[in-house]
Amino acid sequence: MHRLYVHPLPVRIWHWINAFGFILLIVTGVQIRYIGLINIMPFKTSVNLHNLVGFVLIANFFLWFLFYLFSDKIKVYLPELNPMKHFRESFRQMAFYGYGIFKGQPNPHHVSLYHKFNPMQSMTYQIVMLLLVPIQIYTGILLWDVERFQTGVNLFGGLRVVDTVHVLLFIFFSGFIFIHPYLASLGHTPTAHFKAMFTGYEEIEEETEGH
Amino acid sequence: MNVLQKVLVVDDDPVVGKSIDRVLASKGYAVIAASNGEEALNKLASEHYDLVFTDIKMPGMSGLEVAERVKASQPWLPVVIVTGYGSDAYEARAAAAGVSEFLRKPLSPEMIEASTAKALRERSPAMPMQTQPEEIAVPQPEAIEKGSTVKNIALFLAAPFIGLAYIVAMPFVGIGMLAWFGFKAVMKR
Amino acid sequence: MTSAWMGTVKFTRHLNFAVAFFIFFFACSISSQAAGVLSQDDKNCLECHSQEKFEKPMAEGEMLSLHIPGKDFAASVHNAVGCTGCHADIDLKKHPQTSKKKITLRSHSMAMVQVCKDCHDDKFKLYEGSIHATLLRDGNEAAPLCSDCHSPHSIRKDTASAPMAEVSCRQCHTPIYKAYAESVHGQIRGKPEGGHAPLCPDCHKAHEVTAASTGNQLKDACLGCHTNALAVHKTWLPNTDRHFEAVSCPACHAPTAKRRVNLRLYDSIAQERVAEKQGVPQFESRARSADSKGLGLDALALQSLLKEFNREGSEGKTILRGRLEVSTGAEAHQLAPKARAIKECDSCHREGAAPFQTVTISIVSPDGRPLHYGAQKEVLNSATSVDSVGGFYAIGGTRIKLLDVLFVLTLLAGIGIPLGHMTLKWLFRRYLRQIEAERQATQPQADSQASSGDNSTSPTKS
């Protein structure tokens, strides 16, 4: 067992601000959309809080973005250009979570400095962080002041379209916030990955099998 | 007088070469990658190198074979084996060939640096001193760096779209694979 | 000494006051005489026409009053013109004329409009652009003519500041007047001492009165006096500009009114509301044909109606722009004091909120008034209308049902998948332990036995 420094400080700071921000955005978002059904706080409070947290997370996203853009950690987010390799490893990963894990087989993915994600993860995070989050930020800003960004709203196809996209992504992120911690608990011990997100060091299991 | 030491990395996964390059480039080494054993031997025959890193599992010639051939032709050239799945049998064969170290993946920058230093320190004094006209031939690490940064950023920004393409293709690939396995099973019977 | 001096001062002051008072009184009497004095000719006319109940039978049994109250006329602005100024057609030699051809009161007034126009051409031009003139051209018998609002024999300069109840609009727009009189504006205006608040023409214009709900002039009228309204709303209302655009003022400031959503057909290229072309009414028939069941347009019908409007209209792009407004003109006048205005966000931003229970589609008719056709309220919640009703959305109030279903499914999956996976792991735990034990037993000699490990994954390429 040895320790590998895979989560640098900026990434850890970003991660935890993002985690709490997401939860706040989801709670206030649900409150805004379902007032009457759910009454945690008044509508106006939830709108104001949602806007505030939204802007904090936008700033946070750019912290993340600039860090990856200008550090060698950018490799973590580079796509696998060989489709055969990508699919082979992805199916292997899926087979592990859907079958192998129950039989105690080892995780086919090995964390290394520039490969902290398994192929499924890396594909998901590339899409989430570089496509879905920016779209959510954009639609969020449009909805924040609809008249000021009238042209943007019209280009998008109207207010209702902007809102529908924002809500669809909200639904996706809500699902994500449940699945993500569960998958994170599937390390060699349930809390291993959580600890790593605080300390920065992932514990790497030594290979036990020779073939 | 500090001359660039040349390191050859043999691995079919270009990422390995790049990560070694990342670690060693700033320390005064020029890292050159070869994607298989044949390519590596050709390079070794035509140019002078100070150190070889090689993976074991590669299409074609295995890393162990590469090590044995290198040691046979240039016994003074240190060879470091890098592998994800080491077995005692492999390790024994490598030791017999005279490799200087047997590294297991994942590699940390410290491991790369330490093994490089160790291999070069212990290299055979029988090594003939080369004159260094190749300085010109060595690509400037600075230039490599810049080119790859731009490329990395472009790939980074293209990543979600490639990812989307993969996601869209995934069910079809999956169904295709299942069909292929099914077909094979039927044919076998 | 001091007191004597003080006495002198007092006296002088009294004197000054008396002189001023005298001068003022004198001046007033002169001016009133000048305006109130009738010319000799007019006096001659009035000898007969000042008789009360002096009438002339007209067509259809109507009676035209020929009685002119002399005092009122003397005080009116038209005194300066004199009777013959307007009634030049009267030939004194033949007067009174007894013609056999009898005309109606209405056509008499209509004829007199031309006389007004001779002097008041500027006002007449404004009038011609009004909804009243359009109605007149369409042959509406009730459309007001000059004399319906302005009594020509007693019109004075200060008519505009006359008591509220004398405003002529109320003759036709009775329910609206009643609503106005009870509103915050009417109550201030109706105070015995007279208050500063708008009367009909202040918002609707006197002569160029147009249909209230088709343009922006009314919002501009509100903001014309309430100049800081936007700034005040901005202190508490998120997306203020959007609210000002999509919600009419009375929708919140007439808290007792019934509200609805009006989806206006709007030309997004010309940046104006779509109007029916003169003489080719299409809206009604198109809406009716789209609405096959007659229950109001549903989401699909709305989509096909929009398509219909975009087909031949190659010059523009017709979209729907939604607006929250009160359902009748009278309700628009029930403006309450500021403190009673609706301020609670969730009076609209919640499921089933009252304003979203009624939906209409509207177009501007050739006379400038809106034409409405009913739509089903479900169009606001249908996934089908994401595009067609793209311009109208109220968070919480008009949310799309399908997205709610999707959200619930996602939550169930988000909780269910980890639970299911955990359950499977728990079910396999015994098996897992068994494998673990086996592995430990075979570990020492396992290294080279590649063939035995067919239940493990093939070695990962590293």
Side-chain angles (χ1 to χ4, degrees):
Chain A
M1 188 82 67
H2 70 275
R3 280 149 56 89
L4 196 59
Y5 190 62
V6 280
H7 310 299
L9 188 62
V11 173
R12 281 176 281 151
I13 293 174
W14 163 78
H15 176 268
W16 289 113
I17 293 179
N18 214 41
F20 288 107
F22 260 51
I23 290 168
L24 273 176
L25 282 183
I26 287 172
V27 169
T28 51
V30 165
Q31 180 61 84
I32 290 170
R33 194 172 162 81
Y34 297 101
I35 189 151
L37 213 66
I38 296 150
N39 295 304
I40 309 165
M41 59 186 108
F43 183 84
K44 241 189 82 187
T45 316
S46 52
V47 169
N48 290 337
L49 196 58
H50 195 81
N51 288 345
L52 179 76
V53 177
F55 282 113
V56 170
L57 283 202
I58 289 172
N60 196 39
F61 171 79
F62 283 102
L63 173 82
W64 173 90
F65 185 70
L66 293 176
F67 172 79
Y68 273 104
L69 204 58
F70 295 114
S71 79
D72 66 338
K73 287 284 175 189
I74 193 171
K75 291 181 180 176
V76 168
Y77 276 89
L78 295 188
E80 172 57 64
L81 291 175
N82 179 348
M84 283 317 291
K85 192 171 172 209
H86 172 81
F87 287 122
R88 194 174 59 228
E89 292 185 352
S90 289
F91 286 121
R92 197 169 284 156
Q93 198 65 36
M94 275 157 75
F96 168 70
Y97 281 122
Y99 178 72
I101 192 169
F102 303 127
K103 301 189 72 185
Q105 286 166 9
N107 191 328
H109 176 69
H110 303 282
V111 172
S112 70
L113 267 192
Y114 298 112
H115 271 104
K116 75 169 174 177
F117 295 139
N118 72 45
M120 297 286 286
Q121 251 181 325
S122 110
M123 180 181 74
T124 310
Y125 280 116
Q126 282 156 13
I127 296 173
V128 168
M129 286 310 298
L130 289 163
L131 196 66
L132 303 190
V133 167
I135 292 177
Q136 192 71 339
I137 288 176
Y138 183 62
T139 52
I141 288 177
L142 290 185
L143 291 172
W144 169 65
D145 194 339
V146 177
E147 284 305 305
R148 184 182 308 186
F149 303 113
Q150 186 71 55
T151 18
V153 172
N154 289 340
L155 280 177
F156 222 90
L159 183 57
R160 188 173 286 258
V161 183
V162 178
D163 188 87
T164 302
V165 171
H166 198 74
V167 170
L168 277 172
L169 289 176
F170 148 81
I171 292 171
F172 174 83
F173 288 129
S174 304
F176 182 88
I177 220 80
F178 282 99
I179 303 288
H180 177 74
Y182 178 69
L183 285 176
S185 75
L186 297 179
H188 67 275
T189 69
T191 57
H193 291 316
F194 291 95
K195 275 189 209 150
M197 240 330 147
F198 283 107
T199 61
Y201 287 92
E202 285 280 4
E203 288 173 338
I204 311 293
E205 273 187 294
E206 304 292 341
E207 308 298 337
T208 48
E209 306 240 352
H211 49 156
Chain B
M1 154 115 201
N2 201 357
V3 174
L4 277 178
Q5 308 244 42
K6 285 171 71 181
V7 178
L8 182 68
V9 178
V10 194
D11 199 318
D12 58 332
D13 180 359
V15 172
V16 175
K18 279 190 197 142
S19 51
I20 292 178
D21 176 56
R22 176 81 52 193
V23 176
L24 295 183
S26 57
K27 304 279 186 301
Y29 299 92
V31 177
I32 288 98
S35 59
N36 57 54
E38 285 77 12
E39 191 188 336
L41 293 177
N42 286 339
K43 281 200 155 96
L44 285 167
S46 59
E47 287 167 60
H48 161 80
Y49 288 89
D50 297 287
L51 175 61
V52 177
F53 279 98
T54 180
D55 186 23
I56 292 184
K57 277 252 186 327
M58 286 184 293
M61 195 184 297
S62 92
L64 287 168
E65 203 179 334
V66 172
E68 283 159 357
R69 292 219 196 165
V70 169
K71 282 292 169 188
S73 58
Q74 304 179 46
W76 58 84
L77 184 57
V79 177
V80 176
I81 299 276
V82 180
T83 187
Y85 286 90
S87 73
D88 291 349
Y90 285 157
E91 209 163 339
R93 190 173 151 197
V99 306
S100 51
E101 205 163 352
F102 196 88
L103 293 182
R104 291 178 188 205
K105 280 185 187 172
L107 295 179
S108 71
E110 297 81 42
M111 285 162 76
I112 294 170
E113 234 188 293
S115 61
T116 306
K118 178 174 171 254
L120 291 176
R121 204 171 40 239
E122 291 170 359
R123 91 182 128 182
S124 158
M127 179 203 144
M129 279 310 291
Q130 288 274 139
T131 46
Q132 277 84 20
E134 295 122 59
E135 267 173 86
I136 309 113
V138 175
Q140 292 301 303
E142 196 72 359
I144 299 172
E145 194 67 13
K146 230 174 227 160
S148 72
T149 306
V150 173
K151 194 180 155 207
N152 279 349
I153 289 174
L155 274 176
F156 180 60
L157 297 177
F161 304 103
I162 295 170
L164 271 185
Y166 281 156
I167 279 201
V168 171
M170 185 149 250
F172 300 104
V173 175
I175 290 167
M177 270 171 58
L178 283 179
W180 174 243
F181 286 138
F183 175 73
K184 272 211 305 205
V186 169
M187 287 310 277
K188 241 180 202 172
R189 216 192 290 166
Chain C
M1 155 88 192
T2 322
S3 71
W5 183 77
M6 285 279 279
T8 324
V9 170
K10 249 184 204 166
F11 172 74
T12 326
R13 209 181 267 169
H14 279 180
L15 190 69
N16 282 349
F17 187 72
V19 170
F21 186 76
F22 178 74
I23 291 170
F24 171 75
F25 199 75
F26 186 69
C28 281
S29 59
I30 286 177
S31 67
S32 74
Q33 249 175 4
V37 169
L38 292 163
S39 70
Q40 195 51 49
D41 286 351
D42 289 357
K43 275 183 187 158
N44 290 345
C45 297
L46 279 170
E47 259 171 45
C48 298
H49 283 283
S50 61
Q51 303 170 64
E52 294 199 12
K53 307 235 169 113
F54 186 17
E55 290 176 327
K56 177 183 172 184
M58 304 291 273
E60 293 167 16
E62 291 170 317
M63 298 300 278
L64 173 67
S65 170
L66 299 176
H67 164 67
I68 309 294
K71 243 190 209 160
D72 287 353
F73 182 67
S76 83
V77 290
H78 286 159
N79 182 9
V81 187
C83 301
T84 50
C86 297
H87 301 285
D89 57 327
I90 306 267
D91 184 351
L92 278 178
K93 280 170 196 157
K94 291 180 194 162
H95 193 70
Q97 199 176 22
T98 46
S99 74
K100 279 174 194 144
K101 209 177 98 196
K102 284 182 178 172
I103 56 166
T104 59
L105 276 177
R106 176 82 182 169
S107 42
H108 172 69
S109 302
M110 212 114 79
M112 290 311 286
V113 165
Q114 292 308 313
V115 177
C116 303
K117 189 187 160 190
D118 286 342
C119 294
H120 300 288
D121 193 36
D122 53 336
K123 293 284 183 287
F124 188 79
K125 273 193 185 123
L126 292 175
Y127 169 78
E128 277 200 304
S130 73
I131 175 74
H132 289 153
T134 311
L135 293 175
L136 182 67
R137 280 193 291 275
D138 288 352
N140 188 321
E141 284 288 304
L145 304 165
C146 306
S147 56
D148 288 318
C149 297
H150 307 287
S151 148
H153 298 116
S154 56
I155 190 159
R156 298 201 318 230
K157 269 212 163 95
D158 54 357
T159 316
S161 56
M164 177 177 103
E166 280 178 22
V167 73
S168 53
C169 312
R170 69 177 294 191
Q171 293 165 22
C172 298
H173 303 282
T174 320
I176 290 182
Y177 178 77
K178 272 189 189 147
Y180 163 77
E182 282 162 22
S183 77
V184 60
H185 290 147
Q187 281 181 358
I188 295 174
R189 183 81 182 204
K191 277 182 189 165
E193 69 273 20
H196 184 67
L199 193 58
C200 315
D202 291 320
C203 300
H204 297 280
K205 305 280 189 261
H207 296 102
E208 67 269 43
V209 48
T210 51
S213 54
T214 40
N216 268 336
Q217 79 269 24
L218 277 183
K219 197 171 81 181
D220 295 345
C222 297
L223 299 178
C225 289
H226 301 279
T227 45
N228 62 343
L230 186 63
V232 169
H233 282 84
K234 275 197 169 152
T235 58
W236 66 275
L237 181 65
N239 252 315
T240 317
D241 291 315
R242 180 61 186 182
H243 278 101
F244 268 51
E245 190 64 39
V247 182
S248 74
C249 302
C252 301
H253 288 277
T256 50
K258 183 176 182 296
R259 288 175 289 277
R260 69 171 176 201
V261 173
N262 180 8
L263 299 172
R264 297 165 160 188
L265 286 161
Y266 186 85
D267 189 329
S268 64
I269 290 174
Q271 303 268 313
E272 60 182 20
R273 290 185 69 174
V274 177
E276 290 248 69
K277 287 186 192 74
Q278 188 78 46
V280 258
Q282 295 172 310
F283 176 65
E284 189 85 20
S285 60
R286 279 177 177 174
R288 217 172 280 287
S289 69
D291 181 17
S292 50
K293 285 184 200 131
L295 299 168
L297 296 166
D298 61 12
L300 280 173
L302 199 57
Q303 221 172 24
S304 68
L305 179 69
L306 261 188
K307 219 175 269 170
E308 198 73 27
F309 269 95
N310 276 319
R311 185 179 297 160
E312 35 82 70
S314 50
E315 72 266 27
K317 167 127 177 57
T318 302
I319 56 166
L320 285 171
R321 270 190 139 198
R323 223 174 104 85
L324 211 134
E325 56 183 34
V326 293
S327 30
T328 64
E331 283 170 313
H333 291 84
Q334 294 170 347
L335 298 168
K338 196 171 157 185
R340 278 177 46 216
I342 294 173
K343 222 181 162 181
E344 296 75 33
C345 308
D346 62 344
S347 47
C348 292
H349 291 288
R350 71 158 69 224
E351 187 175 31
F356 307 122
Q357 304 308 305
T358 318
V359 183
T360 95
I361 320 292
S362 73
I363 193 169
V364 179
S365 74
D367 66 12
R369 288 184 296 177
L371 260 176
H372 288 274
Y373 195 92
Q376 294 176 21
K377 62 176 183 179
E378 285 77 16
V379 298
L380 299 178
N381 305 92
S382 161
T384 318
S385 42
V386 166
D387 184 42
S388 50
V389 194
F392 184 79
Y393 186 80
I395 286 173
T398 65
R399 57 178 195 249
I400 294 167
K401 288 267 151 47
L402 191 67
L403 293 179
D404 296 346
V405 174
L406 207 60
F407 181 50
V408 171
L409 288 179
T410 308
L411 284 187
L412 288 179
I415 297 165
I417 290 174
L419 281 182
H421 202 259
M422 267 155 85
T423 313
L424 278 175
K425 262 170 67 181
W426 182 78
L427 288 174
F428 273 86
R429 74 200 185 284
R430 194 175 294 165
Y431 189 44
L432 206 65
R433 240 180 269 140
Q434 196 183 324
I435 291 174
E436 196 61 36
E438 255 170 46
R439 182 177 299 153
Q440 263 161 25
T442 54
Q443 194 67 44
Q445 68 264 34
D447 270 348
S448 50
Q449 253 78 69
S451 58
S452 71
D454 58 348
N455 63 348
S456 61
T457 51
S458 56
T460 313
K461 178 70 198 79
S462 52

